[in-house]
Amino acid sequence: MIKMLHLTFVLLTLAAFGGKMFISVARPALLDHKAVKIAPHVISSLLLLTGIILVFQGNWRAGDYGWLVAKIIVLFGFIGLGIMAMRSEGTNRWLAFGGAIACFIYIGIVAVSKNAFFFL
Ligand code: HEM
């Protein structure tokens, strides 16, 4: 149940990030709209909250939680690059956007494979 919620917020986070990038290109004036400002924060807070609940639900005594640490470290990368993508302009903006999406994909694959080094 919580996992379904978590996955829902994963998709909503991606949609909100992509949507905000689209709005900033197509209709920048909308960025000042209250809903556009607040909704992404509500969604990502709920993603974090459901993730934390899942951590408490898990059985971590096996010591097999390296993937979770990797997930959280790369999450900081996703947040940082996401902020850069919203604040910078030109090529840097799109490089940051691409980097953020790469972090997001990495986090998703690590979550499913439970292996931080799935690419090796
Ligand atoms: C961009 C952010 C995130 C993405 C894309 C993401 C993605 C996913 C996905 C796809 C799963 C399902 C894996 C499966 O098939 O079993 C999952 C599960 C999980 N996630 Fe996240 N997640 C994110 C953020 C977080 C955060 C911030 C936390 C913790 C603070 C977290 C903790 C967990 C835990 C504990 C599970 C359950 C693993 C299990 O019991 O099988 N996630 N996540």
Side-chain angles (χ1 to χ4, degrees), residues 1-11 50 54 57:
M1 172 62 191
I2 294 289
K3 202 168 186 168
M4 280 313 292
L5 274 177
H6 186 64
L7 291 178
T8 306
F9 288 118
V10 166
L11 292 181
T50 50
L54 285 172
Q57 279 185 348

Side-chain angles (χ1 to χ4, degrees), residues 3 6-7 10 47-48 51 54 67 71 75 104 107 111 114:
K3 202 168 186 168
H6 186 64
L7 291 178
V10 166
L47 173 67
L48 189 63
L54 285 172
W67 64 275
K71 208 175 148 171
L75 183 68
F104 196 90
I107 294 172
K114 311 271 187 286

Side-chain angles (χ1 to χ4, degrees), residues 27-46:
R27 302 268 302 274
L30 269 184
L31 285 179
D32 287 330
H33 201 283
K34 226 177 178 178
V36 176
K37 276 191 170 165
I38 297 173
H41 294 292
V42 175
I43 292 170
S44 38
S45 304
L46 289 170

Side-chain angles (χ1 to χ4, degrees), residues 26-27 30 32 42 46 50 52 55 62 64-65 69 75-76 84 96 104 106 109 115 117-118:
R27 302 268 302 274
L30 269 184
D32 287 330
V42 175
L46 289 170
T50 50
I52 291 171
V55 172
D64 188 20
Y65 47 75
V69 176
L75 183 68
F76 283 111
M84 268 175 72
F104 196 90
Y106 173 84
I109 298 177
N115 177 7
F117 300 104
F118 62 85

